[in-house]
Amino acid sequence: MKFVCLGYIDASMWESLPKEEAEKAMEDCMAYDNELRKGGHFAGGGALAAPQNGVTLRHQNGQVRVTDGPFIETKEQIGGILLLEARDLNHAIQLMSKHPGVRMGPFEIRPADEAMNLQILEISERLAKEASAT
Amino acid sequence: MVDEDRPDIRQFVDELYRTESRRVFATLVRLLSDFDLAEEAMHEAFTSAFVKWQEEGIPQNPRAWLVSTGRFKAIDTIRRRVRFDESLGEIARRLDDEKDQFAAIDEENIEDDRLRLIFTCCHPAIPPNAQVALTLREVCGLRTEEIASAFLTTPPTIAQRIVRGKQKIRDAGIPFEVPTIPQMPQRLDSVLSVIYLVFNEGYSASSGETVTRHDLSEEAIRLGRLLVQLLPDTEAIGLLALMLIQESRRLARTSASGDIILLEDQDRSLWVLPYIAEGAELVQQALKTRRFGVYTIQAAIAAVHAEAQTPEDTDWAQIIALYDVLSRIEPSPVVDLNRAVAIAMRDGPEAGLTLIDDILAEGTLSEYHLAHAARADLCRRMGNTVDAVNAYRRALELAKQEPERRFLEGRLKQLS
């Protein structure tokens, strides 16, 4: 099964860390990601730039409006995502609970919606067929 | 090394995974004293088998190869991960100390490992609902999502139970071992009740008979067989017999629309005879030991019912005698109620009604819908419609399961 793991982090806490500590934390995370790769559990992912470097799109009054970063009133923002391949939810919990990232902020584990993804795949294949037929 | 056709390796390893992975896992749990490490090591060993056996052929003893490969993989993993998790250092030291690692994977030990695992997952220190979830996942190899759908709950609920159960095993230092003789009866009770709970979850018509729930009963029977094979205790044999005979009636118990069909109205040609035969034989085997308990007696009662060609052929005297034994071993108002119903079948509804009214007056079962339904049925057979209707109404007020409610409503309709 595929799981999407969302790692949250408090940016001000992260910035206040001494340089060595921050570097060690990053290295630990990378090393653990390699552990996951070795076992065939790492299916992609990476760190995200700070929310202030992002924008939010909204559909309003028939137009798309662009605003600054996500407006979330929490200190913890998504700092990285990881795609995980695991046998079941408990296996995913086992793998992620040893991830050093969990010490820096909460990790949310969400199963991929396999049924929905299958539907998406079928529709996209049909559209591709129709496109090539014309 | 055995010479094999290479393309068949994938199939061979898949088949081996199906038949051996739980055994390999159980042994690794003993060697590593850690569920999570063992699970990972087991998967790595199978992955490695697929690659290595392509190159080198299949070893003489694949299971032993998988166990020792799993053990080596775990040692590697632990060494790499000590930086993330200091607690692993302890396990690493213990594994390094084990000079005699090959003795650890001899055949006899491996057979016992599954029994160790069952007793660990069903340890009384673990909350009962976690015992069930752990047993199904770790002993039977079901996925969390499968267990959740069988128990009509969400994967996170089951996942948390499993995590809590494993934490309890770690924190309480529950050892991976088969209990000693003095502890055995109490510990075995715990195992039997987990297996029977799994069976009943799949058997009860609490929410329509979905395929997954049927699988739970099959899984419980498989577990029962495994237990009898590893530990031929009388009550384990009795429980297996009880489950087989109950399972034999699955198709006859409900109509196509999911309505309950009572034992006396069932189409007996739908009963699965091989299950009944095997169950009856196990009952005989258990009764011979003279050390039987409640599961064996219940199985014996089920066997008497199952061996009657028609409802009229039922040996009620024998059933009453068995209920008498049951209430001596473990007295309970529910046993009294079943005994009263059997007496009504042998001696007529009046005799049964007197007993049921005594049981209801005693009070423990006054909120139990089946007591009122039984009373209603006897009144109905005596032609006492007013009392029957009142008792059915009371039963309907108390019944929660949809099929049972439909059944009671049907009876009320017939009478009014």
Side-chain angles (χ1 to χ4, degrees):
Chain A
M1 292 177 66
K2 285 249 187 312
F3 293 86
V4 181
C5 307
L6 306 168
Y8 288 80
I9 194 151
D10 174 350
S12 59
M13 182 280 292
W14 178 243
E15 269 140 36
S16 69
L17 278 184
K19 192 161 171 290
E20 297 83 62
E21 255 183 75
E23 271 173 11
K24 177 163 182 342
M26 287 300 289
E27 256 176 50
D28 280 353
C29 282
M30 296 303 135
Y32 194 80
D33 286 348
N34 278 339
E35 274 291 298
L36 293 174
R37 263 191 205 94
K38 253 182 74 74
H41 303 301
F42 188 92
L48 301 187
Q52 51 268 35
N53 297 330
V55 294
T56 299
L57 304 185
R58 273 192 189 74
H59 193 265
Q60 281 176 331
N61 312 326
Q63 322 202 358
V64 175
R65 302 195 33 170
V66 183
T67 54
D68 285 352
F71 290 109
I72 304 171
E73 295 296 318
T74 62
K75 286 166 63 119
E76 283 167 343
Q77 303 275 6
I78 297 182
I81 57 173
L82 196 156
L83 288 178
L84 191 72
E85 184 61 57
R87 199 174 79 90
D88 63 1
L89 183 54
N90 278 97
H91 189 204
I93 292 170
Q94 275 159 232
L95 292 168
M96 291 313 290
S97 56
K98 298 191 182 77
H99 200 295
V102 176
R103 296 176 199 174
M104 290 184 261
F107 250 102
E108 194 181 330
I109 301 177
R110 298 269 295 272
D113 188 336
E114 303 289 358
M116 174 68 86
N117 292 337
L118 198 64
Q119 235 178 336
I120 291 170
L121 189 69
E122 280 168 4
I123 293 170
S124 73
E125 279 176 354
R126 183 171 55 79
L127 292 175
K129 250 200 216 105
E130 285 169 10
S132 65
T134 53
Chain B
M1 289 286 171
V2 187
D3 213 23
E4 287 278 336
D5 280 349
R6 297 299 141 92
D8 292 340
I9 297 268
R10 151 84 48 206
Q11 214 178 340
F12 181 81
V13 173
D14 282 348
E15 181 60 18
L16 205 61
Y17 184 86
R18 232 179 33 75
T19 55
E20 297 290 341
S21 63
R22 297 335 293 167
R23 242 193 220 110
V24 171
F25 171 72
T27 300
L28 288 169
V29 169
R30 171 171 54 90
L31 297 179
L32 304 168
S33 300
D34 184 286
F35 275 89
D36 297 356
L37 276 173
E39 186 174 335
E40 216 171 326
M42 187 264 289
H43 283 291
E44 283 197 37
F46 273 93
T47 309
S48 168
F50 177 63
V51 177
K52 278 274 192 306
W53 298 353
Q54 297 268 35
E55 299 160 6
E56 301 167 6
I58 295 166
Q60 289 291 357
N61 185 341
R63 191 199 299 168
W65 188 97
L66 287 161
V67 169
S68 70
T69 304
R71 185 178 176 276
F72 284 125
K73 295 271 178 200
I75 293 172
D76 279 353
T77 304
I78 290 166
R79 292 221 172 97
R80 283 198 319 273
R81 285 198 197 159
V82 165
R83 63 180 291 191
F84 307 118
D85 182 354
E86 291 87 25
S87 72
L88 291 173
E90 176 55 36
I91 303 179
R93 274 187 294 282
R94 203 170 42 72
L95 285 171
D96 282 337
D97 284 348
E98 267 184 45
K99 304 277 183 291
D100 201 3
Q101 50 140 324
F102 290 107
I105 51 182
D106 72 32
E107 287 298 311
E108 211 160 301
N109 245 328
I110 288 183
E111 213 36 67
D112 280 349
D113 286 333
R114 306 175 80 190
L115 196 57
R116 285 191 183 92
L117 191 61
I118 295 174
F119 276 106
T120 305
C121 291
C122 299
H123 195 281
I126 301 167
N129 64 12
Q131 290 178 28
V132 169
L134 270 179
T135 303
L136 286 172
R137 187 173 186 274
E138 312 305 331
V139 180
C140 307
L142 266 61
R143 291 184 309 118
T144 306
E145 290 74 17
E146 289 170 332
I147 301 168
S149 88
F151 281 88
L152 309 169
T153 179
T154 62
T157 304
I158 296 292
Q160 286 168 55
R161 284 179 198 168
I162 289 168
V163 169
R164 272 200 296 271
K166 286 183 185 173
Q167 258 162 359
K168 186 78 206 181
I169 292 170
R170 260 195 300 270
D171 299 346
I174 293 173
F176 295 102
E177 58 188 27
V178 175
T180 54
I181 302 286
Q183 304 169 311
M184 187 52 100
Q186 186 217 347
R187 294 288 306 279
L188 186 63
D189 266 356
S190 189
V191 171
L192 296 175
S193 75
V194 164
I195 296 176
Y196 198 37
L197 211 132
V198 171
F199 179 81
N200 278 320
E201 187 65 31
Y203 188 77
S204 74
S206 60
S207 55
E209 301 284 277
T210 63
V211 174
T212 47
R213 298 172 73 72
H214 171 226
D215 284 350
L216 275 184
S217 299
E218 298 266 313
E219 206 59 60
I221 289 172
R222 255 196 294 276
L223 264 173
R225 282 191 198 285
L226 178 66
L227 189 63
V228 167
Q229 182 197 329
L230 298 171
L231 185 84
D233 168 274
T234 303
E235 277 293 85
I237 294 168
L239 173 61
L240 178 58
L242 176 62
M243 293 192 296
L244 285 166
I245 297 171
Q246 287 187 332
E247 184 66 15
S248 74
R249 296 200 284 262
R250 172 179 295 279
L251 285 173
R253 288 169 58 230
T254 46
S255 71
S257 53
D259 289 320
I260 294 176
I261 304 173
L262 295 183
L263 192 60
E264 59 194 70
D265 302 325
Q266 286 174 14
D267 174 354
R268 298 188 176 214
S269 70
L270 294 175
W271 291 0
V272 181
L273 295 177
Y275 275 8
I276 293 174
E278 189 188 355
E281 180 143 340
L282 288 165
V283 168
Q284 291 310 322
Q285 197 184 323
L287 289 173
K288 271 200 201 101
T289 66
R290 302 254 163 219
R291 287 196 313 275
F292 47 81
V294 291
Y295 291 112
T296 302
I297 302 294
Q298 290 178 80
I301 293 168
V304 174
H305 280 297
E307 282 161 351
Q309 297 290 320
T310 66
E312 294 72 36
D313 295 336
T314 308
D315 185 349
W316 291 106
Q318 173 81 342
I319 287 175
I320 293 163
L322 287 165
Y323 275 123
D324 287 340
V325 178
L326 191 54
S327 51
R328 271 206 302 279
I329 302 179
E330 200 164 285
S332 94
V334 173
V335 172
D336 294 341
L337 178 68
N338 285 317
R339 185 175 164 275
V341 171
I343 284 178
M345 295 305 292
R346 187 188 64 181
D347 305 337
E350 295 84 353
L353 190 61
T354 313
L355 291 169
I356 290 183
D357 284 338
D358 289 347
I359 294 165
L360 281 169
E362 185 269 326
T364 318
L365 294 190
S366 58
E367 302 289 299
Y368 185 52
H369 66 285
L370 292 179
H372 295 281
R375 182 174 201 281
D377 188 52
L378 297 185
C379 294
R380 182 182 62 92
R381 278 195 265 160
M382 288 158 62
N384 188 343
T385 310
V386 176
D387 283 354
V389 166
N390 286 335
Y392 275 128
R393 285 204 178 122
R394 183 78 188 109
L396 191 56
E397 279 168 18
L398 297 166
K400 290 188 182 62
Q401 295 184 350
E402 209 39 55
E404 287 185 328
R405 299 182 56 82
R406 278 203 306 274
F407 172 81
L408 295 166
E409 282 161 358
R411 280 282 202 249
L412 273 167
K413 223 181 259 153
Q414 281 170 4
L415 289 174
S416 51

